[in-house]
Amino acid sequence: MDNPAHRSPVTWQHGGVTAATPSPLFPRVPDSADAVLEGLDPEQREVATALHGPVCVLAGAGTGKTRAITHRIAYGVRAGILQPSSVLAVTFTNRAAGEMRGRLRQLGAAGVQARTFHSAALRQLQYFWPKAVGGSLPRLVDRKIQLVADAAAACRIRLDRGELRDVTAEIEWSKVTQTVPADYPPAAAKAAREASRDPAEIAQLYAAYEDLKRERGVIDFEDVLLLTVAVLQDRRDIAEQVRAQYQHFVVDEYQDVSPLQQRLLELWLGDRENLCVVGDASQTIYSFTGATPDHLLDFRTRHPGATVVKLVRDYRSTPQVVHLANGLLAQARGRAADHRLELVSQRDPGPEPVFTEYPDEPAEAEGTARRIRELIDAGVRASGIAVLFRTNSQSETYEQALADASVPYQLRGAERFFDRPEVRRAGVALRGAARFGGNDSLLDDAADLPSQVRAVLSGQGWTAQPPAGSGAVRERWESLAALVNLAQDFAAARPGATLADLVAELDERAGAQHAPTVEGVTLASLHSAKGLEWDVVFLVGVAEGMMPITYAKTDEQIEEERRLLYVGVTRARERLHVSWALSRSPGGRANRRASRFLDGLRSGSAAAGGRGGAGGAGGVERGVSGAAASPFAAPGPRRGQRSPARCRVCGRTLTDAGEMKLMRCEDCPSDMDEGLYERLYDWRGEQARRSGQPAFCVFTDKTLMAIAETVPEDAAGLARIPGVGMRKLGRYGADVLAICAGGDGAHGKDQA
């Protein structure tokens, strides 16, 4: 079915010229208030025209909520009902705020403030601090973990890295829930917080941390909100000045507000009700940070006369994906589940979700990479594919598997696009060319903007054909290629645009961290995938103990894990692959099962106790590594013959991934052949150089150490070492065994 939310308005105006079809990336400004409403479905139009009084929009995944609220603001501005400078739109990430500002500008509503809670509060705090307190605002610390470490040292409490992160998270939670140090133990018990240290000890560290901040004259991220609240509560004149500035408020992702953010919003509002909130209780996945859907669910109680609009038309996902998503929520329990939205797909049917069981995690990663390679070979863009997992620690296995399959990838949550050195250098080159392009012979004959950009970036390392491999060189090329693609889209949307216009667009995007698409498969945790979407999504590690995760004990925590999986499912537009592994490592005991959340959602799952077929016609697909005729393709052990991974020195059961690769405890003595390790290390460097990929994608240091300690004599022995999958065994097995036997690994010299 055609998506009316994505159709273009009938007429658009740009520079006094009316056109019929704007670009989806850079649409032209609508020529009237009524034109803003064109292309909205009935419910979205209802949101857009509800400009007075409190408004609550309950918006399911993929239903066009951002479109609805930006068109609401733009319609009010274009109709003369709202003054742009009097509107404050608040969301939760800089990217979302930047995207909202861009959409509003394209709709003719430039001047509207779209910010995160922290950005809006910091701006007000910086402006009013001299008047409210005197002097300049204390310095904002970028990372509080060092302060927490210093506070622990002052208390003579020793914390390892994991405990430092846990204590820092508890301090952050305390502050956003407005809990002081003395009240932390009972508050943590009531909220069923599970930290790695005693609550009384955390309270002591929290108090010491606050004392240390005062001594050093610094504030942290949460203090920005706390101090803004304090100023607005204590200084009525300042609060009235803020309220005179902002008359209308829009809050996106309202299910994620914390008590502290809600208090700030109430102070901004005063006794007025010009508030529009948008959210979905079924996508509440950040309660560990203090977020709660209660404010969304209680909105009609606090505002009895509120207009309530439900958006349930899903324009993102196929009916098959939506059916699975609805099925997940149908089994949910609790208050959020009582207010779930039943999505209705507006798209044509697509393939059934595929459920795959693998014998172990490396096999799962290799199988996933193989399928992705097949999709890319069939014409699917790498940027349209994502691999989503529960914890960041799962990433490395998939990075290696994708690199082995020569699949480019990008890590979400890693270095930001506009902070990359090659992007910064490209920006300087483009800015210089825009300023002095007439004197550059490379640009004299360039007939259009994309040609100019390609000419400039060719001097920075961009080429028409990508380099081989998937290492640092390829990553730099992907960054520059993303800028070239952006220039092409920009020129198509704005005929006659100059290089200076593109530079201005890049500056705007950099400020909002609105990066162009990089052509690589996205690797991301489920939490960081919120708000994004892809054509194909692989949900990996969907097994008991990981989904729900082991430390989810209470009913509320279990239900949040279910909602997290729901968010993952609803990221997929067309194809969805769900997989799990029966054991952690090759040869391990097959004591895992598919997540309980999948029970009843795939044929045979209930009868098989969590193992069985896929919903619909897809059926279950047994995960296999792919038998090969090569002598280095050693078969895995049969089910039932696996045993727990144990230290080969002391016999203790191993659970840490690094220790399992070494097959011994970290602190047990090593019998590593150091000469062999050095030869393997040098060989790995040569292989990485030849293939253009990072060295760890050949073998990690731990895997090399394990090889040098065990000194395998044949393919079967090498295959038993964790980190040596079937693909690597086939590619590198002969080399490694030759080196172990005293050779130089010459087999690999002819490999690409």
Side-chain angles (χ1 to χ4, degrees):
M1 177 178 176
D2 182 31
N3 179 357
H6 291 171
R7 286 201 299 264
S8 303
V10 176
T11 58
W12 295 76
Q13 190 177 50
H14 177 66
V17 178
T18 299
T21 309
S23 160
L25 292 178
F26 301 96
R28 296 177 177 88
V29 177
D31 59 8
S32 68
D34 287 341
V36 173
L37 301 178
E38 294 289 340
L40 300 180
D41 69 28
E43 294 78 25
Q44 292 170 342
R45 182 182 286 255
E46 185 178 356
V47 172
T49 55
L51 296 173
H52 301 288
V55 178
C56 179
V57 182
L58 302 175
T63 57
K65 66 180 179 64
T66 305
R67 181 179 179 84
I69 58 176
T70 52
H71 280 68
R72 177 183 186 269
I73 296 170
Y75 176 72
V77 169
R78 299 299 296 275
I81 299 171
L82 304 178
Q83 292 299 316
S85 60
S86 72
V87 180
L88 178 59
V90 187
T91 187
F92 280 80
T93 66
N94 287 322
R95 179 184 175 89
E99 181 183 352
M100 191 176 292
R101 285 195 298 271
R103 291 198 191 193
L104 290 169
R105 187 174 65 249
Q106 293 158 4
L107 291 168
V112 173
Q113 292 293 311
R115 297 181 175 277
T116 64
F117 271 102
H118 284 87
S119 173
L122 181 60
R123 194 178 189 207
Q124 294 174 17
L125 199 60
Q126 289 170 332
Y127 183 82
F128 290 112
W129 188 267
K131 178 178 179 180
V133 181
S136 58
L137 184 69
R139 180 176 63 86
L140 181 65
V141 293
D142 294 329
R143 297 177 68 251
K144 59 173 68 68
I145 198 164
Q146 184 56 54
L147 273 173
V148 175
D150 293 346
C155 295
R156 298 186 177 182
I157 296 175
R158 185 175 180 179
L159 301 176
D160 61 28
R161 284 188 301 175
E163 290 171 329
L164 268 175
R165 288 193 300 268
D166 289 346
V167 171
T168 301
E170 290 308 293
I171 291 174
E172 291 172 349
W173 174 82
S174 299
K175 299 182 79 166
V176 300
T177 55
Q178 302 176 83
T179 302
V180 298
D183 294 339
Y184 172 79
K190 183 178 179 181
R193 305 287 294 183
E194 288 195 10
S196 55
R197 308 290 296 204
D198 181 76
E201 200 170 51
I202 292 177
Q204 179 187 2
L205 290 167
Y206 179 14
Y209 169 81
E210 291 298 312
D211 291 340
L212 200 57
K213 282 200 293 102
R214 282 190 290 270
E215 290 175 13
R216 298 182 181 180
V218 297
I219 60 175
D220 63 25
F221 202 56
E222 290 70 39
D223 288 332
V224 171
L225 299 185
L226 285 164
L227 291 171
T228 306
V229 165
V231 168
L232 295 178
Q233 284 181 160
D234 295 344
R235 292 291 299 266
R236 183 179 180 85
D237 57 330
I238 292 176
E240 291 302 324
Q241 191 173 342
V242 171
R243 292 167 192 161
Q245 171 69 48
Y246 296 117
Q247 304 290 323
H248 302 271
F249 296 86
V250 177
V251 183
D252 193 12
E253 304 287 2
Y254 193 55
Q255 78 278 353
D256 288 332
V257 296
S258 67
L260 179 57
Q261 290 165 332
Q262 176 64 22
R263 179 57 185 148
L264 178 59
L265 179 61
E266 291 168 355
L267 288 167
W268 283 339
L269 274 169
D271 57 3
R272 299 165 301 176
E273 289 199 318
N274 290 326
L275 171 65
C276 174
V277 300
V278 189
D280 178 9
S282 296
Q283 295 188 68
T284 304
I285 59 173
Y286 298 109
S287 66
F288 61 92
T289 67
T292 170
D294 290 344
H295 305 300
L296 175 67
L297 299 177
D298 292 338
F299 191 83
R300 283 169 286 186
T301 302
R302 296 196 312 274
H303 304 277
T307 298
V308 179
V309 184
K310 293 183 179 181
L311 302 182
V312 296
R313 301 177 196 243
D314 188 327
Y315 298 105
R316 175 188 299 158
S317 304
T318 63
Q320 286 75 12
V321 173
V322 168
H323 178 72
L324 178 59
N326 286 337
L328 275 173
L329 292 188
Q331 301 176 359
R333 300 291 181 268
R335 193 175 182 214
D338 293 339
H339 294 80
R340 65 181 178 272
L341 299 169
E342 187 85 7
L343 299 178
V344 181
S345 176
Q346 306 297 297
R347 296 196 53 183
D348 292 332
E352 292 286 345
V354 176
F355 298 85
T356 309
E357 181 179 274
Y358 290 93
D360 51 64
E361 289 183 3
E364 184 179 12
E366 290 175 12
T368 299
R370 184 171 58 251
R371 282 182 164 170
I372 291 173
R373 180 72 267 170
E374 292 168 354
L375 287 168
I376 293 174
D377 290 343
V380 178
R381 295 186 64 175
S383 58
I385 304 173
V387 179
L388 307 181
F389 32 75
R390 177 60 180 83
T391 66
N392 287 319
S393 62
Q394 295 168 270
S395 173
E396 182 183 357
T397 304
Y398 289 89
E399 291 177 53
Q400 291 194 18
L402 290 174
D404 285 347
S406 298
V407 173
Y409 64 85
Q410 57 177 329
L411 288 171
R412 177 155 181 84
E415 185 180 33
R416 297 190 296 185
F417 180 83
F418 289 103
D419 292 339
R420 297 175 186 175
E422 66 271 18
V423 174
R424 290 200 302 267
R425 289 193 295 269
V428 170
L430 289 170
R431 189 169 287 105
R435 189 176 304 159
F436 306 111
N439 299 322
D440 191 335
S441 60
L442 284 174
L443 304 182
D444 287 344
D445 298 326
D448 55 24
L449 177 60
S451 298
Q452 291 179 336
V453 172
R454 287 192 290 268
V456 173
L457 296 187
S458 64
Q460 302 295 312
W462 179 84
T463 56
Q465 296 298 321
S470 57
V473 173
R474 177 62 181 253
E475 290 175 5
R476 288 193 292 271
W477 183 90
E478 295 284 0
S479 297
L480 299 178
L483 294 175
V484 171
N485 292 335
L486 178 65
Q488 292 170 342
D489 292 332
F490 189 68
R494 293 183 54 180
T498 66
L499 200 54
D501 294 329
L502 177 65
V503 169
E505 173 70 21
L506 290 175
D507 288 342
E508 175 75 20
R509 282 171 167 258
Q513 285 301 325
H514 185 190
T517 301
V518 175
E519 196 53 44
V521 172
T522 298
L523 293 174
S525 70
L526 286 164
H527 282 102
S528 65
K530 178 76 166 61
L532 302 175
E533 58 188 73
W534 296 269
D535 291 333
V536 186
V537 168
F538 288 81
L539 294 176
V540 299
V542 187
E544 284 292 308
M546 191 61 73
M547 181 62 66
I549 203 155
T550 50
Y551 55 74
K553 304 294 186 184
T554 67
D555 290 343
E556 292 81 3
Q557 291 168 340
I558 295 293
E559 287 307 311
E560 180 148 342
E561 292 288 298
R562 185 193 305 276
R563 294 193 297 269
L564 187 58
L565 182 58
Y566 171 80
V567 167
V569 167
T570 55
R571 300 310 95 194
R573 297 189 191 106
E574 298 173 4
R575 296 175 181 270
L576 179 65
H577 294 257
V578 183
S579 64
W580 60 94
L582 295 176
S583 68
R584 183 170 184 175
S585 59
R589 179 180 298 172
N591 58 358
R592 291 181 175 179
R593 60 176 289 259
S595 168
R596 72 190 73 171
F597 300 146
L598 300 180
D599 288 351
L601 298 180
R602 48 196 182 90
S603 61
S605 59
R611 298 176 190 169
V620 74
E621 297 192 10
R622 304 298 297 179
V624 294
S625 297
S630 165
F632 298 101
R638 291 177 299 173
R639 190 176 303 176
Q641 292 182 325
R642 296 184 174 95
S643 58
R646 297 186 183 279
C647 174
R648 54 190 170 81
V649 180
C650 70
R652 182 178 68 85
T653 299
L654 303 176
T655 57
D656 178 76
E659 292 182 341
M660 291 173 73
K661 282 190 176 183
L662 291 174
M663 293 185 288
R664 64 171 174 81
C665 305
E666 286 277 9
D667 52 0
C668 279
S670 169
D671 54 355
M672 182 177 71
D673 182 331
E674 294 187 5
L676 174 57
Y677 178 82
E678 290 298 325
R679 293 196 299 276
L680 288 167
Y681 188 90
D682 292 342
W683 166 85
R684 182 184 67 170
E686 176 63 17
Q687 290 295 318
R689 186 190 66 78
R690 288 174 176 272
S691 62
Q693 61 183 345
F696 73 81
C697 291
V698 179
F699 286 121
T700 64
D701 289 348
K702 287 283 176 62
T703 300
L704 291 186
M705 291 174 64
I707 294 171
E709 290 183 356
T710 58
V711 194
E713 297 180 352
D714 53 29
L718 182 58
R720 282 193 289 269
I721 297 175
V724 182
M726 302 310 296
R727 182 182 295 274
K728 291 186 178 182
L729 188 64
R731 179 178 297 181
Y732 304 125
D735 277 12
V736 172
L737 291 175
I739 295 172
C740 289
D744 61 1
H747 296 81
K749 291 184 178 180
D750 295 328
Q751 294 181 1

